[in-house]
Amino acid sequence: MGLQQSNIEALPFVTAELNYLAPTLGRPRTYAFDPPAGEPKTTALPDPRQVPIFDARLIAENISLDREGFALVRHPTRVRDFYDDKEVRDVYYPAAEAFLKATLKADRVFIFDHTVRKRVEGAADVRGGGPRQPATRVHVDQTDVSGANRVREHLPEEADELLKGRVQVINLWRPIRGPLRDAPLAMCDGQTVAPGDLVASDLIYPSRKGETYSVKYNPNHRWFYVPEMTADEALLLKCYDSATDGRTRFGPHTAFVDPTTPADAALRESIELRTLVFHKP
């Protein structure tokens, strides 16, 4: 049963501010390092909107990664310290790869990077300076162009053959500690996103240029979150899918300030893996 058969309006919800993309002249761009003299850090200006964000926990069994673009899964882990990069790569990567391969019935899964986040009041989000801050703008990590380019970048010798089959970029996102009450993740139902809502935006690194989707406000967007996620739970987020059969969708996401968060709640700590998921033709 899909969400179209669920009584969404009867679900509990919070009303919160999400940062969409304001109209800009030209293609938005953001520097992942200190920009050249005279250049702004980003040309993507926020368009904050108050929207209802519905409790997805109560209808989790009706949510499909291939339809809505996200899914809640149970995924216990043996990792003791997610701030230990070696332990993450030696312990978490293999377990997550096996989990995703089985869950998504994939032929192959390749993890190409991860990001640890720890919210610090008033701190700037600095790449390469320790844990990142939660991302507080509505976005999709990949575009139709950059999703395929990830295969060419990370698996160049096999790329031509792998791109003949179905390729997805799937993020595996989880709280490091739970229950998570501070800065939870909001996910947009991919069925409610129109192609014109997505704006390809440059993400500029010192040695390369990436591409993500910024997102324009659309009142038809339908938002969900999973309150009080535990450390044994995770979210799957579809960020790219080469399939063009009309069934597969991906949805934007963003951290947000939940107005019901207790003042003494622990600040958010989370980790996301970014993965390439392959199915043979």
Side-chain angles (χ1 to χ4, degrees):
M1 183 172 75
L3 289 189
Q4 67 275 12
Q5 296 170 279
S6 303
N7 188 1
I8 303 299
E9 289 71 21
L11 292 174
F13 67 93
V14 297
T15 299
E17 183 176 278
L18 302 185
N19 288 311
Y20 282 92
L21 174 71
T24 59
L25 292 175
R27 184 184 176 99
R29 65 180 182 276
T30 299
Y31 286 92
F33 59 100
D34 289 336
E39 289 276 348
K41 180 78 171 177
T42 181
T43 62
L45 301 178
D47 177 18
R49 301 281 183 153
Q50 292 283 328
V51 301
I53 307 174
F54 294 94
D55 184 345
R57 186 177 291 282
L58 302 177
I59 56 168
E61 69 278 6
N62 297 335
I63 295 174
S64 163
L65 184 65
D66 270 352
R67 188 177 54 241
E68 285 79 31
F70 66 93
L72 175 68
V73 294
R74 178 168 172 77
H75 181 38
T77 176
R78 295 187 297 126
V79 176
R80 296 184 178 182
D81 182 4
F82 279 103
Y83 295 99
D84 182 335
D85 190 77
K86 186 176 187 303
E87 183 178 7
V88 168
R89 294 179 183 277
D90 290 351
V91 178
Y92 193 45
Y93 272 35
E97 180 181 319
F99 171 79
L100 289 170
K101 187 174 180 181
T103 301
L104 303 179
K105 298 178 173 58
D107 292 300
R108 183 177 177 185
V109 173
F110 178 82
I111 300 170
F112 60 87
D113 72 10
H114 72 275
T115 300
V116 177
R117 300 184 189 270
K118 182 177 183 180
R119 193 169 80 81
V120 178
E121 292 278 8
D125 184 23
V126 179
R127 295 172 187 268
R132 299 278 305 279
Q133 298 299 301
T136 56
R137 64 179 184 87
V138 179
H139 68 285
V140 181
D141 288 24
Q142 309 294 332
T143 67
D144 289 337
V145 172
S146 65
N149 282 345
R150 283 291 185 181
V151 184
R152 300 184 182 99
E153 177 184 353
H154 298 291
L155 299 165
E157 295 182 358
E158 305 170 75
D160 288 345
E161 189 64 29
L162 291 170
L163 287 167
K164 292 178 182 178
R166 182 185 182 186
V167 181
Q168 300 177 85
V169 178
I170 304 294
N171 285 7
L172 177 65
W173 186 99
R174 72 183 313 129
I176 289 175
R177 310 188 202 292
L180 187 144
R181 299 185 175 100
D182 174 70
L185 203 66
M187 294 78 64
C188 189
D189 177 356
Q191 298 178 109
T192 68
V193 178
D197 300 340
L198 304 174
V199 179
S201 306
D202 291 330
L203 184 56
I204 304 171
Y205 297 90
S207 59
R208 68 179 183 90
K209 183 168 67 174
E211 186 177 84
T212 65
Y213 280 131
S214 301
V215 184
K216 297 187 293 186
Y217 174 70
N218 182 333
N220 293 325
H221 290 169
R222 190 164 53 187
W223 287 93
F224 296 90
Y225 79 119
V226 180
E228 301 199 355
M229 285 185 66
T230 70
D232 286 340
E233 293 179 313
L235 290 165
L236 301 179
L237 307 171
K238 187 192 293 284
C239 298
Y240 168 79
D241 195 331
S242 66
T244 57
D245 56 9
R247 295 182 302 104
T248 53
R249 305 174 187 272
F250 50 86
H253 57 275
T254 179
F256 73 100
V257 177
D258 181 350
T260 68
T261 299
D264 61 350
L267 298 183
R268 193 242 264 194
E269 298 175 74
S270 62
I271 182 172
E272 64 235 38
L273 296 186
R274 298 179 184 88
T275 76
L276 290 163
V277 177
F278 300 102
H279 289 85
K280 293 178 182 178

